Amino acid sequence: MYFYLPIALTSISLPLIVGLGLLVGLLSGLFGVGGGFLMTPLLIMIGIPPTVAAASDSLQIVGASTSGTFAHWKLGNVDVKMGIFLLIGGFAGGLAGVQLIKVLRMMGNADFVIKITYVLMLGIVGTYMFFESLNSLKKAKQANDTSQTKDTTSRPRKESGFVKFLKSLPLQTRFEKSGVTQSALLVIILGAFVGILAAIMGVGGGFLMVPVMVYLLRMPMHVVVGTSLFQILFTCIEVSFLQAYVNHTVDFILAVLLLAGSTFGAQIGTKLGKKLHGDQLKIILAMIVLVVTVKIMLDLLLEPSLLLSLKGGH
Amino acid sequence: MKTFRTSLLSTLTAACFLVMFSVQTVHSITSEISPSRIAVDSLYHGSSVVVSGETDAEDEIIIKFSSPKKEILLRKKGKRSGLLWMNVGELELNPVPDVYLVYATGDINSMLNEDQQDRFMLGYDTFRRVVEVTPVSGETEKEKWIREFLHFKEKNKVYGIVSGQIETQTEGSRKTFNLSINWPYQAPPQDYTVGTYAVRDGIVLDYKETTLSVEKVGALKYISDKAYNSSAAYGIISILIAIASGFIVSIIFKGGGGGH
């Protein structure tokens, strides 16, 4: 069964698109990522114009992250206070990132900088997360810990110089849900940092925000997933509106078909996530990020079969 | 002397017109398209189109479906730092159609001379001669990008040159033809010109042009009109629907899924 899309102006297979939504929704519920870094290239691959793919995907993420945020909310996994601080930073960072791209474009090497930043960030984040979670999984085995709780906060924390530095920052604020005390200033700055990178790379930034929350803000993995989804929901509402209003690139039918899969996927992902340990979640996400990194690197190194493409997209 | 020359010139011109005119009237090709209108609704996945007609028995036939010519802007990929493939800038081609599907009873290059190919924009070789490509450093680079452009469009199923698909039948001095194609869903909704050309001795003797309208209808048209004409409302409603469906699925899942 095929559907013709009013804005993308192409016909797509119903099972394929719903299946794609289900897969990305599952990842979203599991890891708290929007999945834009997977979905947009997949949509372009099946013939959706790049600009329409990115815009419709952001509308799809609105639905999927509503579903995911709601599911995590009921489990008590959403730190609204943290989410709002990150959003403030992310919004400012997004604006700065857009200006930065303008400057890069004027200097004439924007695409080069964007691609290299993308590969480096994905590679570093994926590798670090992979080895870190591998280590803690090993340690957990050695310790043969009797308590099989999923709470990663129980891990003993070293008072390293970095932690001391974090504690010396002004505006120390208690984040009850996450069980951490951090400088509000630091949270906003980190939010801005992810916002800048997300704007440069043209992605939602979930795969960057998750490691930032885990490693720098020291939040437990399950609260990270819920809070990240909460944050992504608001970012994508803003992006979807701007894309629809300014660029007319949101394909409602495409988004609805993707949603049919992804909203269910997000629910299944959340349930599945409850059964997994925080470190197991991290190591799976790390592997997905690394596979995507390798794919992008191959795209950069091998001669493409088509040397021309439509404008827009990542 | 001057008047003699002028009158000779005008007589010759008149004679030329007369010859051309008589060729046009003596030689006539008929062509019909069915359907002439394709409705694009939500379940549209392409359509079948038939072009039929008749002409002189000795003629070769070319049928061309094309959209209006315009400038097309694309991103080009190239090597950076001698190692990495990425977008290296934009390429503009002008004038080129979005959609260009040509069917012929033989090889266009041996059927038509270059002037005629360029005049009616028939065959891929004419692109090299009449299309401007910017920026390019010279002829070789221009030819390379024209080749890449045709390759890109063929991959999208909106360009193609096919010989042998037109069925013909000769009866006495006349020949009937029939072309049945699958109109690609990749061709966007708009009006297309369908030209049918009778070709002999390297030139087009006669041609007919009709229109094929591909139009959005029903809910599909409604949604696309809203997206372009009331984009703020379209954006807000889309977002509200997305949020609502997220909530509804959460509730359904809770009810049907059991377990905590």
Side-chain angles (χ1 to χ4, degrees):
Chain A
M1 188 175 181
Y2 291 95
F3 263 92
Y4 190 80
L5 305 172
I7 307 296
L9 300 180
T10 188
S11 175
I12 41 137
S13 140
L14 185 68
L16 179 72
I17 212 79
V18 174
L20 213 64
L22 196 71
L23 173 81
V24 175
L26 190 77
L27 297 178
S28 166
L30 263 178
F31 308 115
V33 295
F37 71 106
L38 274 176
M39 181 70 100
T40 308
L42 287 173
L43 288 177
I44 295 170
M45 218 148 63
I46 62 169
I48 312 284
T51 46
V52 180
S56 311
D57 185 37
S58 72
L59 181 62
Q60 180 275 132
I61 296 173
V62 170
S65 56
T66 302
S67 170
T69 305
F70 192 54
H72 279 277
W73 181 287
K74 284 187 290 192
L75 297 171
N77 285 342
V78 180
D79 190 332
V80 175
K81 193 172 173 185
M82 184 70 91
I84 289 173
F85 278 110
L86 286 171
L87 269 174
I88 294 169
F91 187 73
L95 288 178
V98 171
Q99 294 305 315
L100 195 63
I101 291 181
K102 271 190 195 158
V103 175
L104 287 172
R105 287 216 191 287
M106 277 200 290
M107 287 160 62
N109 55 356
D111 284 314
F112 188 76
V113 174
I114 291 169
K115 278 277 176 188
I116 296 297
T117 315
Y118 204 4
V119 171
L120 279 179
M121 287 314 295
L122 280 174
I124 292 169
V125 165
T127 314
Y128 180 77
M129 206 157 49
F130 182 79
F131 285 106
E132 192 275 338
S133 34
L134 194 67
N135 265 340
S136 39
L137 277 177
K138 270 186 196 157
K139 270 183 202 153
K141 246 187 185 171
Q142 280 168 359
N144 200 14
D145 207 331
T146 44
S147 66
Q148 286 294 320
T149 59
K150 297 146 203 155
D151 191 3
T152 48
T153 48
S154 58
R155 254 186 305 157
R157 259 183 233 142
K158 290 169 286 181
E159 278 281 305
S160 64
F162 179 64
V163 173
K164 273 188 201 136
F165 166 71
L166 291 186
K167 286 199 170 157
S168 70
L169 289 171
L171 294 174
Q172 289 291 328
T173 311
R174 178 75 188 157
F175 293 93
E176 219 38 76
K177 271 272 156 61
S178 307
V180 296
T181 304
Q182 292 287 4
S183 156
L185 200 65
L186 175 78
V187 177
I188 291 174
I189 289 171
L190 287 175
F193 169 73
V194 173
I196 290 173
L197 288 176
I200 291 178
M201 296 183 289
V203 293
F207 77 94
L208 286 173
M209 191 55 97
V210 169
V212 161
M213 286 195 262
V214 173
Y215 298 116
L216 299 176
L217 296 174
R218 311 253 157 184
M219 290 162 63
M221 185 63 184
H222 288 82
V223 183
V224 165
V225 174
T227 311
S228 170
L229 284 176
F230 171 80
Q231 201 250 137
I232 285 169
L233 169 61
F234 286 94
T235 313
C236 283
I237 286 177
E238 186 206 350
V239 172
S240 302
F241 180 75
L242 289 177
Q243 294 280 28
Y245 186 58
V246 182
N247 298 330
H248 313 293
T249 41
V250 172
D251 195 306
F252 179 69
I253 301 291
L254 174 60
V256 164
L257 295 178
L258 288 171
L259 270 175
S262 68
T263 44
F264 282 99
Q267 293 287 327
I268 299 168
T270 307
K271 299 222 162 183
L272 203 63
K274 277 205 302 178
K275 298 199 171 76
L276 293 171
H277 193 277
D279 287 320
Q280 290 171 321
L281 282 180
K282 277 189 274 174
I283 208 161
I284 301 171
L285 178 60
M287 286 193 279
I288 295 171
V289 169
L290 286 175
V291 167
V292 173
T293 313
V294 170
K295 161 84 172 72
I296 296 175
M297 269 163 65
L298 286 178
D299 284 349
L300 284 173
L301 291 171
L302 303 175
E303 179 167 0
S305 68
L306 288 175
L307 292 180
L308 289 170
S309 63
L310 294 171
K311 291 178 67 189
H314 297 165
Chain B
M1 192 69 185
K2 212 171 192 178
T3 43
F4 172 71
R5 231 190 254 166
T6 325
S7 67
L8 184 69
L9 209 67
S10 55
T11 318
L12 275 174
T13 319
C16 277
F17 269 114
L18 208 70
V19 168
M20 277 168 69
F21 187 69
S22 63
V23 165
Q24 291 270 324
T25 46
V26 166
H27 197 108
S28 72
I29 184 169
T30 66
S31 175
E32 240 176 58
I33 182 161
S34 167
S36 61
R37 180 175 170 272
I38 297 175
V40 176
D41 57 17
S42 293
L43 298 176
Y44 175 69
H45 191 63
S47 174
S48 60
V49 170
V50 176
V51 178
S52 56
E54 63 168 57
T55 188
D56 275 8
E58 300 106 280
D59 294 344
E60 298 271 19
I61 297 147
I62 302 176
I63 299 174
K64 178 178 84 169
F65 301 81
S66 62
S67 59
K69 285 175 274 187
K70 58 175 189 180
E71 60 165 65
I72 291 184
L73 210 56
L74 292 165
R75 288 204 303 198
K76 56 178 182 180
K77 284 200 165 70
K79 266 195 172 183
R80 263 292 173 90
S81 319
L83 184 70
L84 305 174
W85 286 94
M86 53 181 64
N87 295 316
V88 289
E90 287 177 351
L91 193 74
E92 188 193 297
L93 293 100
N94 193 21
V96 278
D98 247 344
V99 175
Y100 182 82
L101 298 164
V102 176
Y103 298 83
T105 46
D107 171 42
I108 291 176
N109 278 334
S110 44
M111 278 159 69
L112 276 181
N113 68 42
E114 284 190 6
D115 278 352
Q116 292 277 300
Q117 288 180 21
D118 294 354
R119 186 175 156 202
F120 296 99
M121 201 155 186
L122 292 169
Y124 281 160
D125 281 357
T126 186
F127 280 75
R128 249 187 14 223
R129 296 187 292 264
V130 303
V131 176
E132 291 286 333
V133 182
T134 41
V136 285
S137 57
E139 269 311 300
T140 352
E141 201 192 342
K142 178 180 168 178
E143 276 185 29
K144 172 197 158 187
W145 286 117
I146 294 269
R147 250 197 334 273
E148 287 296 333
F149 173 74
L150 297 173
H151 179 50
F152 170 72
K153 284 291 196 180
E154 281 193 342
K155 274 268 167 143
N156 280 324
K157 309 264 194 287
V158 288
Y159 268 45
I161 292 185
V162 180
S163 63
Q165 202 170 319
I166 301 175
E167 289 169 7
T168 57
Q169 207 163 18
T170 310
E171 281 169 31
S173 65
R174 298 293 278 175
K175 177 196 260 176
T176 59
F177 59 87
N178 191 295
L179 169 71
S180 174
I181 64 159
N182 291 318
W183 182 255
Y185 63 80
Q186 290 91 342
Q190 61 180 314
D191 280 355
Y192 293 92
T193 304
V194 183
T196 312
Y197 305 83
V199 177
R200 206 190 303 168
D201 304 324
I203 58 165
V204 171
L205 288 176
D206 191 14
Y207 68 96
K208 283 270 149 37
E209 279 183 352
T210 47
T211 303
L212 171 65
S213 307
V214 181
E215 292 167 23
K216 295 178 193 170
V217 296
L220 192 92
K221 180 171 163 50
Y222 179 79
I223 291 174
S224 120
D225 285 350
K226 285 279 167 281
Y228 288 99
N229 303 331
S230 6
S231 46
Y234 174 84
I236 292 168
I237 292 169
S238 299
I239 289 166
L240 290 178
I241 292 175
I243 292 174
S245 57
F247 266 115
I248 291 166
V249 170
S250 294
I251 291 158
I252 293 173
F253 207 87
K254 185 72 187 169
H260 60 264

